[in-house]
């Protein structure tokens, strides 16, 4: 409705912004307001006939949106709406673009994997695709409510979202759908579907603009799946199956055993070694929960140039829970003169052998490098 009625856009976005300045507890309202601010933020400073002008600056708008993203009462869906709105304002505002870019860098290490991945992709737009940013973030065209696929009906949910109800699939179709959800690591018909657990409600499927962004940056923007909270880990963040579909056919890289050198007596392994980049895993137990394995990642660089914008991602089968903490930095120094460290926590209540798929991206001498691998030779002590 708002996108179709251009005469009401300034009126609507100003009233919605006033509403979230006063109260951010109504999540559907905050989501709608964030979307409108992202689309029509430049109209917040315009005059509306027969209305008191909204006296607001660009910084005050960003202050309100940042408060929403940092609020513990905001759901994952709301934070995703708001983060996208902040990024869209980079093409609507003029004086706060450096602050918006800094916010993207800040949330690039957020414990919420959905926000982290979105922020990394948005920051990449600033750094490598700035000439395309205005085109990718332009206003959404008016939606045609009559457009829909044959045989489908739409019903409204109480949270403001729309659910598409399709006719029941035939048994043959259901079987094909089940085969499409093969285990990320196994691939057999009996393997469980790969799920990275999350606490918050998963974000809605990305729009066409996000698909284009995923194609540009080489990342899978598929929706995350839900998993219940499991006691023993400190608030495991929402996770995405960022590696699903991208890693089929990857040849497992055997882990190289290194003599034990930590207090727990569990041997370290070399999880990845290629093109001068070496990833080592060392292990300890969580004193508060014997089912939690703490992995310390050490990334070193033996080449003569630094590896910049270093990002490590991981996925495990759904019988585990994985939590990636923020890395110590994004630049791996050359000539083994330093390391980037990152802590990974894995909850393994069934004491099953740990399997992991990894994805590495970094910039080396101006060229983007991306590689994937599989680590399936973790020390057996971790499963005891």
């Amino acid at each position: 409705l708002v996108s179709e009625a251009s005469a009401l856009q300034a009126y609507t976005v100003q009233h919605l912004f006033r509403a979230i300045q006063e109260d951010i507890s109504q999540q559907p309202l905050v989501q709608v307001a964030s979307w409108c601010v992202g689309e029509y933020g430049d109209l917040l400073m315009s005059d509306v006939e027969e209305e008191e002008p909204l006296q607001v600056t660009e910084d005050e708008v960003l202050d309100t949106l940042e408060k929403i993203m940092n609020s513990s009462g905001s759901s994952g869906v709301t934070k995703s709406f708001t983060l996208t709105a902040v990024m869209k304002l980079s093409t609507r505002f003029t004086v706060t673009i450096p602050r918006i870019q800094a916010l993207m860098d800040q949330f690039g290490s957020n414990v919420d994997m959905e926000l982290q991945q979105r922020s990394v992709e948005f920051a990449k737009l600033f750094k490598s695709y700035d000439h395309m940013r205005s085109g990718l973030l332009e206003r959404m065209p008016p939606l045609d409510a009559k457009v829909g696929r044959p045989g489908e009906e739409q019903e409204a949910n109480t949270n403001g979202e729309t659910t598409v109800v399709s006719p029941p699939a035939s048994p043959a179709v259901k079987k094909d759908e089940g085969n499409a959800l093969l285990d990320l690591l196994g691939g057999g018909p009996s393997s469980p579907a790969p799920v990275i657990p999350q606490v918050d409600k998963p974000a809605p499927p990305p729009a066409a603009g996000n698909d284009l962004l995923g194609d540009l940056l080489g990342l899978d923007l598929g929706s995350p799946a839900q998993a219940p909270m499991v006691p023993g880990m400190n608030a495991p963040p929402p996770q995405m199956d960022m590696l699903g579909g991208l890693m089929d056919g990857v040849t497992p890289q055997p882990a190289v055993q290194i003599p034990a050198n930590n207090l727990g007596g569990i041997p370290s392994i070399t999880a990845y070694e290629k093109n001068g980049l070496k990833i080592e895993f060392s292990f300890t137990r969580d004193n508060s929960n014997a089912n939690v394995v703490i992995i310390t990642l050490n990334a070193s660089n033996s080449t003569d140039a630094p590896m910049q914008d270093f990002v490590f991602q991981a996925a495990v089968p759904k019988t585990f829970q994985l939590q990636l903490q923020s890395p110590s930095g994004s630049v791996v120094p050359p000539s083994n003169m330093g390391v980037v460290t990152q802590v990974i926590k894995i909850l393994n209540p069934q004491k099953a052998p740990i399997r992991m798929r990894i994805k590495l991206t970094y910039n080396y001498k101006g060229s983007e490098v991306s590689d994937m691998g599989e680590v399936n030779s973790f020390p057996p002590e971790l499963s005891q």
Side-chain angles (χ1 to χ4, degrees):
L1 177 62
V2 177
S3 62
E4 293 176 351
S6 58
L8 297 176
Q9 290 169 358
Y11 174 87
T12 303
V13 71
Q14 291 187 17
H15 275 265
L16 287 172
F17 183 75
R18 284 193 179 101
I20 62 175
Q21 276 187 310
E22 299 173 359
D23 181 17
I24 62 172
S25 62
Q26 304 299 319
Q27 295 295 288
L29 174 64
V30 176
Q31 293 169 17
V32 173
S34 297
W35 184 89
C36 288
V37 170
E39 295 295 318
Y40 314 111
D42 53 318
L43 302 180
L44 287 171
M45 279 68 78
S46 63
D47 294 332
V48 179
E49 294 183 3
E50 301 179 359
E51 288 288 330
E52 180 181 352
L54 178 63
Q55 302 295 332
V56 67
T57 64
E58 293 183 5
D59 279 310
E60 290 172 340
V61 174
L62 291 180
D63 287 341
T64 300
L65 297 181
E66 189 173 358
K67 181 176 71 173
I68 294 172
M69 290 191 293
N70 290 325
S71 172
S72 59
S74 297
S75 68
V77 174
T78 300
K79 292 180 180 180
S80 297
F81 268 92
T82 309
L83 183 70
T84 303
V86 171
M87 185 61 186
K88 285 203 167 189
L89 290 178
S90 69
T91 62
R92 279 67 161 166
F93 288 175
T94 56
V95 299
T96 54
I97 294 178
R99 179 179 176 184
I100 293 175
Q101 188 171 3
L103 282 173
M104 295 303 114
D105 292 335
Q106 173 187 339
F107 279 87
S109 57
N110 193 276
V111 296
D112 185 325
M113 287 299 293
E114 168 72 7
L115 293 180
Q116 181 185 122
Q117 183 173 351
R118 284 176 181 254
S119 301
V120 169
E121 292 164 357
F122 289 151
K124 192 71 173 178
L125 270 181
F126 278 110
K127 296 176 183 178
S128 302
Y129 303 96
D130 196 56
H131 61 288
M132 303 176 63
R133 180 162 51 87
S134 60
L136 289 172
L137 301 176
E138 64 183 3
R139 287 181 180 174
M140 294 288 292
L143 300 177
D144 188 353
K146 297 180 181 180
V147 174
R149 288 181 290 183
E152 290 185 345
E153 299 177 355
Q154 291 186 340
E155 60 180 22
N157 291 333
T158 55
N159 62 1
E161 298 175 354
T162 300
T163 301
V164 177
V165 181
S166 303
S170 64
V173 173
K174 291 182 178 179
K175 182 177 180 180
D176 292 340
E177 292 175 351
N179 291 336
L181 300 177
L182 296 179
D183 188 348
L184 174 65
L185 299 173
S190 61
S191 302
V195 178
I196 301 297
Q198 72 171 36
V199 177
D200 291 329
K201 182 179 178 181
N210 281 349
D211 291 338
L212 175 59
L213 181 58
D215 293 339
L216 288 174
L217 304 182
L219 294 176
D220 182 3
L221 300 181
S223 299
Q226 287 184 335
M229 185 78 171
V230 178
M233 294 187 71
N234 295 327
Q239 302 286 340
M240 291 188 64
D241 184 5
M242 295 174 294
L243 307 180
L246 294 176
M247 304 181 65
D248 295 336
V250 175
T251 302
Q253 177 171 335
V256 179
Q257 296 286 340
I258 300 176
N261 56 3
N262 56 7
L263 296 177
I266 303 175
S268 301
I269 64 172
T270 298
Y272 178 92
E273 188 170 13
K274 188 176 181 181
N275 297 328
L277 176 63
K278 185 176 183 180
I279 305 292
E280 294 181 322
F281 287 171
S282 58
F283 310 96
T284 55
R285 293 283 189 186
D286 190 328
N287 293 330
S288 62
N289 188 344
N291 293 328
V292 175
V293 175
I294 301 176
I295 303 174
T296 301
L297 176 153
N298 288 279
S300 58
N301 172 16
S302 62
T303 68
D304 59 353
M307 296 177 177
Q308 300 177 330
D309 301 329
F310 173 77
V311 176
F312 173 87
Q313 297 172 331
V316 293
K318 70 175 184 179
T319 53
F320 305 90
Q321 284 194 7
L322 181 143
Q323 179 181 3
L324 278 173
Q325 297 187 3
S326 301
S328 62
S330 60
V331 179
V332 186
S335 305
N336 294 323
M337 296 179 63
V339 297
V340 170
T341 62
Q342 188 169 7
V343 174
I344 309 166
K345 291 187 177 182
I346 296 180
L347 178 62
N348 183 11
Q350 299 182 14
K351 300 295 185 181
I354 300 176
R355 298 177 294 165
M356 179 186 295
R357 282 197 167 182
I358 61 176
K359 180 178 181 181
L360 307 163
T361 57
Y362 56 91
N363 186 297
Y364 183 71
K365 294 183 177 180
S367 299
E368 295 295 325
V369 180
S370 178
D371 197 11
M372 293 170 276
E374 181 175 333
V375 184
N376 54 14
S377 296
F378 285 87
E381 293 90 337
L382 301 178
S383 305
Q384 298 176 356

